[in-house]
Amino acid sequence: ANRHSSTSRGLGDVYKRQFLTLLEYKMSKKVSKDEALKAVKTITDEISKSSLEKEALEAVKTLILWAGDDPEREGLVDTPKRVVKAYKEFFSGYEEDPEEILSRTFEEVEGYDDAVIVRNIRVESHCEHHMVPIVGVAHIGYIPRKRVVGISKLARLVDLFGKRLQTQETMTAQIADTIDKVLQPKGVAVVIDANHQCMSTRGVHKTESSTITSRMLGTFRSDNKAREEFISLIHSPKKY
């Protein structure tokens, strides 16, 4: 009961804010038509999300029953809520704009035009075929054309695409293509090395295997020396 009342209060606050926006529009009080339409969309989206969340909770209960257990027993009674909350985090990448992450750039780089490489970025994703984890590391390099982006933004970009249902091949391409589109650098290189639990915890049970994918664009594709330097640097030993 408490969970439902808390959700209702949250939705009530949303509805109240958007209703006031619609009311102001109706009374012609400095609210544009676009703002009014946005308010309608927000209310519709919130109703849809609330309905989908209830369905998700019921779906988890069904899976527990299908597995052969009792979703009403003490240890499992709150499991649907926990699973749905976890899935919201696992798949939060659908709610973010990858291009927005890279939108803020810096031009004061004293003419720096060599490779910028961030290696060993933790990758956490889920296989779209079995919905089990893909865990590994990503290495990203790009050769700037007059402007650079904060290096933490590259890690955030990996997180964004990781927090979606993925194949490793698609994720590698999405990361590289987004950097290429937004920053328009001279070259982009992305390598991902990851373990797929659909191979290690089920099926063939190859626990020591990993999958490596790469995408090279621009200079990294056309210049063998640049590509070899990138590969060498991401595998060089740490000195700190």
Side-chain angles (χ1 to χ4, degrees), residues 115 117 139-143 169 172-177 179-180 185-192 212-235:
I117 298 171
H139 313 289
I140 297 176
Y142 73 99
I143 302 173
E169 297 88 340
T172 304
Q174 288 173 332
I175 293 167
D177 292 349
I179 295 170
D180 190 52
K186 296 176 183 177
V188 181
V190 176
V191 172
I192 295 179
I212 299 174
T213 50
S214 69
R215 188 165 180 85
M216 306 288 167
L217 301 173
T219 300
F220 287 113
R221 178 181 286 272
S222 60
D223 187 332
N224 287 340
K225 183 177 179 181
R227 184 166 60 252
E228 289 170 3
E229 182 181 15
F230 170 76
I231 298 299
S232 174
L233 287 171
I234 65 174
H235 291 113

Side-chain angles (χ1 to χ4, degrees), residues 97-107 147-150 153 156-157 178 182-183:
D97 180 357
E99 294 184 19
E100 179 65 26
I101 287 176
L102 302 179
S103 62
R104 186 180 182 188
T105 57
F106 305 92
E107 296 185 4
R147 59 183 182 145
V148 299
V149 70
K153 301 302 188 289
R156 282 190 59 197
L157 190 66
T178 301
V182 178
L183 300 184

Side-chain angles (χ1 to χ4, degrees), residues 91-227:
F91 304 123
S92 60
Y94 290 109
E95 299 175 0
E96 295 185 77
D97 180 357
E99 294 184 19
E100 179 65 26
I101 287 176
L102 302 179
S103 62
R104 186 180 182 188
T105 57
F106 305 92
E107 296 185 4
E108 295 180 2
V109 292
E110 300 295 332
Y112 184 87
D113 60 357
D114 212 331
V116 177
I117 298 171
V118 183
R119 64 179 183 171
N120 297 324
I121 302 169
R122 172 82 169 180
V123 173
E124 296 176 357
S125 191
H126 282 77
C127 162
E128 67 180 32
H129 302 139
H130 300 95
M131 294 181 72
V132 293
I134 299 171
V135 179
V137 293
H139 313 289
I140 297 176
Y142 73 99
I143 302 173
R145 196 189 301 272
K146 295 184 178 179
R147 59 183 182 145
V148 299
V149 70
I151 56 176
S152 67
K153 301 302 188 289
L154 299 177
R156 282 190 59 197
L157 190 66
V158 172
D159 285 346
L160 182 151
F161 284 119
K163 291 184 182 300
R164 298 180 178 185
L165 292 169
Q166 285 286 13
T167 67
Q168 187 172 321
E169 297 88 340
T170 299
M171 180 165 47
T172 304
Q174 288 173 332
I175 293 167
D177 292 349
T178 301
I179 295 170
D180 190 52
K181 179 181 179 181
V182 178
L183 300 184
Q184 299 181 346
K186 296 176 183 177
V188 181
V190 176
V191 172
I192 295 179
D193 184 354
N195 171 269
H196 292 238
Q197 290 192 15
C198 58
M199 276 188 65
S200 63
T201 63
R202 58 161 299 281
V204 293
H205 289 278
K206 301 303 180 186
T207 57
E208 301 302 318
S209 69
S210 72
T211 300
I212 299 174
T213 50
S214 69
R215 188 165 180 85
M216 306 288 167
L217 301 173
T219 300
F220 287 113
R221 178 181 286 272
S222 60
D223 187 332
N224 287 340
K225 183 177 179 181
R227 184 166 60 252

Side-chain angles (χ1 to χ4, degrees), residues 54-67:
K54 289 177 183 177
E55 289 185 31
L57 291 167
E58 290 302 317
V60 176
K61 287 184 180 180
T62 300
L63 282 172
I64 293 171
L65 278 169
W66 173 83

Side-chain angles (χ1 to χ4, degrees), residues 28-41:
S28 301
K29 288 187 175 181
K30 298 181 181 180
V31 174
S32 69
K33 183 178 180 180
D34 285 345
E35 288 175 311
L37 289 173
K38 185 178 179 181
V40 172
K41 185 177 185 303

Side-chain angles (χ1 to χ4, degrees), residues 7 47-59 80-81 84-85 88:
T7 301
I47 292 172
S48 177
K49 284 181 182 177
S50 176
S51 176
L52 280 174
E53 183 163 328
K54 289 177 183 177
E55 289 185 31
L57 291 167
E58 290 302 317
K81 182 182 72 173
V84 169
K85 182 179 180 181
K88 282 182 180 178

